[in-house]
Amino acid sequence: MHLINKAGLEKVHNSIKPFIHRTPVLTSQLLNEICEAELFFKCENFQKMGAFKMRGATSAILNLTKEQQKKGVVTHSSGNFAQALSLAAKSFGAKAYIAMPKNAPQVKKEAVLGYDGIITECESNAVAREKAAKEIQQKTGATFVHPSNDDDVIYGQGTAAIELLEDYQDLDYIFTPVGGGGLLAGTILAAINFSEKCKVIAGEPANADDAYRSLISGKIELNETTNTIADGLRTNLGDRNFPIIKEYVERIVLVEEDEIIEAMKLIWERMKIIVEPSSAVAFAALIKHKNNIKGKKIGLILSGGNIDVSNLPF
Amino acid sequence: MHLINKAGLEKVHNSIKPFIHRTPVLTSQLLNEICEAELFFKCENFQKMGAFKMRGATSAILNLTKEQQKKGVVTHSSGNFAQALSLAAKSFGAKAYIAMPKNAPQVKKEAVLGYDGIITECESNAVAREKAAKEIQQKTGATFVHPSNDDDVIYGQGTAAIELLEDYQDLDYIFTPVGGGGLLAGTILAAINFSEKCKVIAGEPANADDAYRSLISGKIELNETTNTIADGLRTNLGDRNFPIIKEYVERIVLVEEDEIIEAMKLIWERMKIIVEPSSAVAFAALIKHKNNIKGKKIGLILSGGNIDVSNLPF
């Protein structure tokens, strides 16, 4: 059981507020009709740097001592967390060292550099990334911040759901995607502490179904394939977030690639907003599960909007 | 000179309020930095049916007698106004007859049919469209509503700028696109009546520059080419809106096709919202004109978000 309580989460939320946006919640009559429920979309695609990861990165850096901040932070990520940590560090005048696979897209490297992140290239496998991060840590004295398996990061990610529950107190469910587990675990902690009844359901790509299998086996399983368009969800759960997920998640709904793309197109066309495939995974799960949640009030965390608009799956 | 005053515009605004969304105004620090000004984007892409046209269509139908409403409305359009009139008519239980070119994209026909509009196909030139509309009018007794050259439509379109000026009273400029002239004329009427100082600047595709040339010649010029991606702006001004534009518009800025596409991509990538090319025309004009408006407070009407996301110019 996780030991943070409502007051603890409120403290985290208050501490990061000056550094993040309170993102808007959008609704769509047409999507309500399609899902036969009342949906509330928490738009983390409008968050700073375009994703909820800004919340957890800020929370982590705020919990460092001044001395630690001076030496900087280090992480391994090729995605949104690399950008988030770089931008969050910049706000505090701290350095962010990013271990990034050689073959990461140029656009992602440029995004990190744009936020003054310092990139160290490495091979693309997990072992090489962790080794590179370790070496940077030893050389610079920077503090390692894991993108999803870190308590402060988890609490930070939970603040999106806190805001959603402040705005709509009687939600029956919140849907999130699950990748590394930080957003899902944080959302669960928020739901437990800020609602009497709200349950949390996660969507996961069938092609990267480690969390689904972990729930069944009761221990952290690794991905066997990561062949999914939802590039933010190819990672595995960790020992800090899995216990929370295991105990409290209502269900994990697996979705196929065509369902992810279809859900993404629906959001783009009907809501006129840009969300990345990982966000669409949560909505695809909601659509797939809709017969079980008819007439309910449902929050959905649109996790981010960072996508190459020149290279779409439709 | 146009005879509506502030009270008259307020009456129009109040009458359509129950049938439209009060759309949000978004800001972007990064786009402010690029333009060296303070920008306020009025998101009519989030309006019902995805464009500001819903305002004018509703205003027009509200000004019909019950008897007229019973006989329905007719227009010629293949774009957003066809959808807007269909949806607005539906709210009042009225029929909307749409004269639509045979070669209009299937997706547009389906959108009109989705709002219960009744399509009559015709040839794609202006004469054929007007003839078809006339025939429908004679056969059904329906009232003809012009998409942009109609006083009630013009007043309705102006309500987007009224809301913008209610939210941000000290705007120095509002940018809009100009096609048929309804939005531009309505925005001008709003600025005159709701602000002491706000000037209105329009963006127009260089490839469909009828309004720009009309300002120079002092009479309504027709388009010589309409080869622009901004499909909503291929129409000409009319005798109801041109006098307003001629007297009050601060300037019309012509933009090239590559500037429109670049502006659209900037909005998509940085604001994470979907806008159609016509909206990007206004933003491209702002970027092109930025050296003259540094440090100013600028509203911009993002006119709509109806675009085929499977067929993008980038």
Side-chain angles (χ1 to χ4, degrees):
Chain A
M1 175 52 195
H2 229 71
L3 293 175
I4 197 161
N5 59 14
K6 188 172 178 177
L9 283 171
E10 276 169 347
K11 198 174 155 199
V12 171
H13 192 204
N14 286 331
S15 71
I16 69 170
K17 271 181 187 170
F19 307 98
I20 59 160
H21 292 317
R22 185 172 183 119
T23 52
V25 177
L26 295 185
T27 59
S28 162
Q29 208 178 314
L30 192 124
L31 296 187
N32 284 354
E33 283 165 19
I34 289 174
C35 297
E36 299 175 62
E38 206 177 338
L39 311 184
F40 301 90
F41 294 88
K42 177 69 173 168
C43 290
E44 290 297 298
N45 54 330
F46 295 155
Q47 188 51 265
K48 286 194 183 172
M49 60 63 56
F52 73 92
K53 299 266 181 180
M54 192 61 197
R55 296 173 181 271
T58 304
S59 165
I61 290 178
L62 273 168
N63 273 282
L64 300 181
T65 63
K66 287 264 170 275
E67 189 60 31
Q68 286 174 315
Q69 285 185 2
K70 207 177 284 177
K71 291 185 177 164
V73 284
V74 53
T75 196
H76 50 74
S77 162
S78 61
N80 283 329
F81 195 74
Q83 295 179 47
L85 196 67
S86 301
L87 179 56
K90 196 180 168 180
S91 310
F92 294 90
K95 285 178 178 158
Y97 302 93
I98 314 293
M100 213 165 174
K102 272 182 197 163
N103 59 0
Q106 190 58 28
V107 60
K108 296 202 170 182
K109 290 181 190 168
E110 280 166 15
V112 167
L113 295 173
Y115 296 128
D116 295 347
I118 300 160
I119 295 175
T120 300
E121 293 197 335
C122 61
E123 297 301 322
S124 80
N125 60 74
V127 175
R129 286 202 219 186
E130 280 166 31
K131 184 162 163 274
K134 195 96 192 163
E135 282 171 7
I136 298 167
Q137 207 183 342
Q138 284 165 348
K139 209 184 303 175
T140 62
T143 305
F144 179 71
V145 183
H146 193 282
S148 53
N149 196 43
D150 174 295
D151 287 357
D152 295 319
V153 170
I154 292 168
Y155 302 155
Q157 316 301 30
T159 59
I162 291 175
E163 292 173 11
L164 190 51
L165 286 164
E166 280 175 354
D167 292 349
Y168 300 94
Q169 285 151 31
D170 56 347
L171 294 180
D172 299 298
Y173 296 95
I174 296 179
F175 278 72
T176 77
V178 57
L183 177 64
L184 176 54
T187 302
I188 286 172
L189 292 175
I192 292 171
N193 285 290
F194 287 78
S195 168
E196 298 287 313
K197 63 171 177 176
C198 182
K199 292 170 183 165
V200 179
I201 295 180
E204 186 175 38
N207 286 359
D209 63 351
D210 60 302
Y212 182 85
R213 287 185 291 102
S214 299
L215 270 194
I216 293 172
S217 73
K219 61 184 177 57
I220 296 172
E221 302 287 343
L222 303 186
N223 275 315
E224 284 160 3
T225 64
T226 57
N227 184 26
T228 173
I229 188 177
D231 55 338
L233 307 182
R234 292 173 189 156
T235 45
N236 301 302
L237 301 180
D239 61 351
R240 299 307 306 163
N241 54 53
F242 181 54
I244 304 168
I245 295 169
K246 185 177 161 187
E247 185 163 353
Y248 293 106
V249 77
E250 176 73 4
R251 172 189 287 264
I252 293 178
V253 179
L254 293 181
V255 292
E256 303 296 332
E257 293 301 298
D258 58 345
E259 294 171 324
I260 300 169
I261 293 168
E262 191 54 40
M264 186 161 113
K265 202 171 175 209
L266 252 182
I267 293 174
W268 283 48
E269 288 185 334
R270 298 305 177 163
M271 298 185 67
K272 313 294 182 191
I273 59 174
I274 290 174
V275 297
E276 57 193 43
S278 300
S279 304
V281 166
F283 187 49
L286 196 162
I287 294 171
K288 201 159 185 174
H289 196 60
K290 72 174 193 173
N291 286 337
N292 305 95
I293 48 180
K294 278 189 186 171
K296 298 293 183 186
K297 292 197 173 181
I298 304 172
L300 191 144
I301 303 202
L302 292 176
S303 50
N306 291 333
I307 183 171
D308 180 357
V309 297
S310 314
N311 183 20
L312 299 175
F314 42 69
Chain B
M1 175 52 197
H2 231 75
L3 293 175
I4 197 161
N5 59 14
K6 187 170 177 177
L9 283 171
E10 275 169 347
K11 198 175 155 195
V12 171
H13 192 204
N14 286 329
S15 73
I16 68 171
K17 271 181 187 170
F19 306 99
I20 59 161
H21 292 314
R22 183 171 186 120
T23 51
V25 176
L26 295 185
T27 60
S28 161
Q29 208 178 315
L30 192 121
L31 296 187
N32 284 354
E33 283 164 22
I34 289 173
C35 298
E36 299 175 64
E38 207 177 339
L39 311 183
F40 301 91
F41 294 88
K42 178 69 173 167
C43 290
E44 290 296 298
N45 54 330
F46 296 156
Q47 188 50 268
K48 285 193 184 174
M49 61 62 57
F52 73 93
K53 299 267 182 182
M54 191 62 196
R55 296 174 181 270
T58 304
S59 166
I61 290 177
L62 274 167
N63 273 282
L64 301 180
T65 62
K66 287 263 169 277
E67 188 61 32
Q68 286 174 316
Q69 285 186 3
K70 206 178 284 177
K71 289 184 177 164
V73 284
V74 55
T75 196
H76 50 73
S77 161
S78 62
N80 283 329
F81 195 74
Q83 294 179 47
L85 196 68
S86 301
L87 178 56
K90 195 179 169 182
S91 310
F92 296 90
K95 284 178 179 158
Y97 302 94
I98 314 293
M100 212 164 175
K102 270 181 198 165
N103 60 0
Q106 190 57 29
V107 60
K108 296 201 170 183
K109 291 182 189 167
E110 279 167 15
V112 167
L113 294 172
Y115 296 128
D116 295 348
I118 301 159
I119 295 174
T120 300
E121 293 196 337
C122 60
E123 296 302 322
S124 80
N125 61 74
V127 175
R129 286 202 219 182
E130 280 166 29
K131 185 163 164 273
K134 195 95 193 162
E135 282 172 9
I136 297 167
Q137 208 183 340
Q138 285 165 349
K139 208 184 302 174
T140 61
T143 304
F144 178 70
V145 182
H146 192 283
S148 53
N149 198 41
D150 175 294
D151 288 356
D152 296 319
V153 170
I154 292 169
Y155 303 155
Q157 316 301 30
T159 58
I162 293 175
E163 293 173 9
L164 190 50
L165 286 163
E166 281 175 353
D167 292 348
Y168 300 94
Q169 284 152 32
D170 56 347
L171 293 181
D172 299 297
Y173 296 96
I174 296 179
F175 278 72
T176 76
V178 58
L183 177 64
L184 175 54
T187 301
I188 286 171
L189 293 175
I192 292 171
N193 285 289
F194 288 79
S195 168
E196 298 287 313
K197 63 170 178 178
C198 182
K199 292 169 182 164
V200 180
I201 295 181
E204 186 176 37
N207 286 357
D209 64 351
D210 61 302
Y212 182 84
R213 287 184 291 102
S214 301
L215 271 195
I216 293 171
S217 72
K219 62 184 178 54
I220 296 173
E221 302 288 344
L222 303 185
N223 275 314
E224 285 161 1
T225 64
T226 57
N227 184 26
T228 173
I229 188 177
D231 54 337
L233 308 182
R234 293 174 189 154
T235 45
N236 302 301
L237 301 180
D239 61 350
R240 298 308 305 162
N241 54 53
F242 179 55
I244 305 169
I245 295 169
K246 186 177 160 186
E247 185 165 350
Y248 292 108
V249 77
E250 176 71 6
R251 172 189 286 264
I252 294 179
V253 179
L254 293 182
V255 292
E256 303 297 331
E257 294 301 296
D258 58 345
E259 295 171 324
I260 300 169
I261 293 168
E262 190 53 39
M264 185 162 116
K265 201 174 175 206
L266 253 182
I267 293 174
W268 283 48
E269 289 186 333
R270 298 305 177 162
M271 297 185 68
K272 313 295 181 190
I273 59 174
I274 290 174
V275 297
E276 58 194 41
S278 300
S279 304
V281 167
F283 187 49
L286 196 161
I287 294 172
K288 200 160 187 172
H289 196 58
K290 73 174 191 173
N291 286 336
N292 306 97
I293 48 180
K294 278 189 186 171
K296 298 294 184 186
K297 292 196 173 182
I298 305 171
L300 191 145
I301 303 202
L302 292 176
S303 49
N306 290 333
I307 183 171
D308 180 357
V309 297
S310 313
N311 183 20
L312 299 176
F314 42 69

